[in-house]
Protein backbone atom coordinates (compact mmCIF):
# COMPACT_ATOMS: atom_id res chain seq x y z
CA UNK A 1 0.00 0.00 0.00
CA UNK A 2 1.24 3.51 -0.79
CA UNK A 3 2.26 5.95 1.89
CA UNK A 4 0.31 8.87 0.44
CA UNK A 5 -3.18 8.94 -1.06
CA UNK A 6 -3.00 9.38 -4.84
CA UNK A 7 0.54 8.01 -5.10
CA UNK A 8 -0.67 4.95 -7.05
CA UNK A 9 -2.57 7.20 -9.43
CA UNK A 10 0.54 9.31 -9.94
CA UNK A 11 2.56 6.16 -10.74
CA UNK A 12 -0.02 5.06 -13.31
CA UNK A 13 0.06 8.46 -15.03
CA UNK A 14 3.86 8.30 -15.11
CA UNK A 15 3.78 4.84 -16.69
CA UNK A 16 1.28 6.02 -19.32
CA UNK A 17 3.46 9.03 -20.12
CA UNK A 18 6.50 6.78 -20.60
CA UNK A 19 4.50 4.48 -22.87
CA UNK A 20 3.24 7.39 -24.98
CA UNK A 21 6.80 8.75 -25.27
CA UNK A 22 8.03 5.36 -26.48
CA UNK A 23 5.26 5.23 -29.12
CA UNK A 24 6.10 8.74 -30.31
CA UNK A 25 9.77 7.86 -30.57
CA UNK A 26 8.99 4.74 -32.62
CA UNK A 27 6.83 6.77 -35.00
CA UNK A 28 9.52 9.43 -35.47
CA UNK A 29 12.21 6.83 -36.18
CA UNK A 30 9.91 5.04 -38.65
CA UNK A 31 9.13 8.34 -40.39
CA UNK A 32 12.82 9.24 -40.72
CA UNK A 33 13.58 5.78 -42.14
CA UNK A 34 10.73 6.11 -44.66
CA UNK A 35 11.97 9.54 -45.73
CA UNK A 36 15.49 8.17 -46.17
CA UNK A 37 14.15 5.36 -48.38
CA UNK A 38 12.45 8.02 -50.52
CA UNK A 39 15.81 9.76 -50.93
CA UNK A 40 15.22 12.63 -48.53
CA UNK A 41 18.11 13.88 -46.43
CA UNK A 42 17.50 15.77 -43.23
CA UNK A 43 19.56 18.45 -41.60
CA UNK A 44 20.95 21.76 -42.61
CA UNK A 45 22.43 22.03 -46.12
CA UNK A 46 26.25 22.29 -46.20
CA UNK A 47 27.66 25.82 -46.32
CA UNK A 48 30.64 24.84 -48.44
CA UNK A 49 29.98 22.73 -51.55
CA UNK A 50 32.39 19.96 -52.66
CA UNK A 51 33.89 22.11 -55.44
CA UNK A 52 34.73 24.87 -52.94
CA UNK A 53 36.21 22.31 -50.55
CA UNK A 54 38.66 21.22 -53.26
CA UNK A 55 39.58 24.86 -53.96
CA UNK A 56 40.08 25.51 -50.24
CA UNK A 57 42.25 22.40 -49.84
CA UNK A 58 44.35 23.45 -52.82
CA UNK A 59 44.80 26.96 -51.39
CA UNK A 60 45.79 25.62 -47.97
CA UNK A 61 48.17 23.08 -49.53
CA UNK A 62 49.84 25.87 -51.49
CA UNK A 63 50.53 27.78 -48.28
CA UNK A 64 47.56 30.13 -47.85
CA UNK A 65 46.56 30.89 -44.27
CA UNK A 66 43.22 29.79 -42.90
CA UNK A 67 42.33 33.43 -42.21
CA UNK A 68 42.88 34.41 -45.85
CA UNK A 69 40.88 31.39 -47.03
CA UNK A 70 38.01 32.41 -44.73
CA UNK A 71 38.04 35.93 -46.18
CA UNK A 72 38.28 34.70 -49.79
CA UNK A 73 35.44 32.19 -49.50
CA UNK A 74 33.38 34.29 -47.07
CA UNK A 75 33.01 31.55 -44.45
CA UNK A 76 33.42 31.65 -40.71
CA UNK A 77 36.61 30.16 -39.28
CA UNK A 78 34.61 27.63 -37.25
CA UNK A 79 32.80 26.51 -40.42
CA UNK A 80 36.12 26.13 -42.22
CA UNK A 81 37.67 24.13 -39.38
CA UNK A 82 34.61 21.87 -39.04
CA UNK A 83 34.56 21.23 -42.79
CA UNK A 84 38.28 20.48 -42.92
CA UNK A 85 37.90 18.04 -40.03
CA UNK A 86 34.94 16.36 -41.74
CA UNK A 87 36.88 15.83 -45.00
CA UNK A 88 39.98 14.68 -43.15
CA UNK A 89 42.36 17.50 -44.09
CA UNK A 90 45.17 18.14 -41.63
CA UNK A 91 48.00 20.64 -41.70
CA UNK A 92 50.46 17.73 -41.72
CA UNK A 93 48.87 16.51 -44.98
CA UNK A 94 50.55 19.41 -46.82
CA UNK A 95 53.77 17.50 -47.54
Amino acid sequence: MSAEPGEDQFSIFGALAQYERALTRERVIAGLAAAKRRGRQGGRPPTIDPEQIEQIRAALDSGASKASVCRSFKVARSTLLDTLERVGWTASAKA
Side-chain angles (χ1 to χ4, degrees):
M1 191 141 227
S2 298
E4 296 283 329
E7 213 172 288
D8 290 337
Q9 197 174 22
F10 185 72
S11 295
I12 291 171
F13 287 143
L16 288 174
Q18 284 181 332
Y19 178 70
E20 182 61 33
R21 173 68 182 123
L23 286 177
T24 301
R25 188 170 191 276
E26 281 181 33
R27 289 184 198 124
V28 167
I29 290 171
L32 290 172
K36 191 172 189 176
R37 284 192 303 271
R38 291 191 306 267
R40 298 287 298 166
Q41 181 181 355
R44 184 176 180 160
T47 303
I48 304 173
D49 62 36
E51 182 180 305
Q52 283 181 320
I53 291 172
E54 289 306 313
Q55 293 171 353
I56 288 170
R57 290 176 77 167
L60 290 170
D61 288 339
S62 67
S65 70
K66 290 177 185 164
S68 67
V69 168
C70 289
R71 283 191 300 272
S72 299
F73 288 89
K74 295 179 176 58
V75 295
R77 185 175 178 87
S78 60
T79 301
L80 176 68
L81 296 177
D82 289 344
T83 301
L84 291 174
E85 183 179 334
R86 183 172 42 83
V87 298
W89 186 89
T90 58
S92 62
K94 284 194 235 180

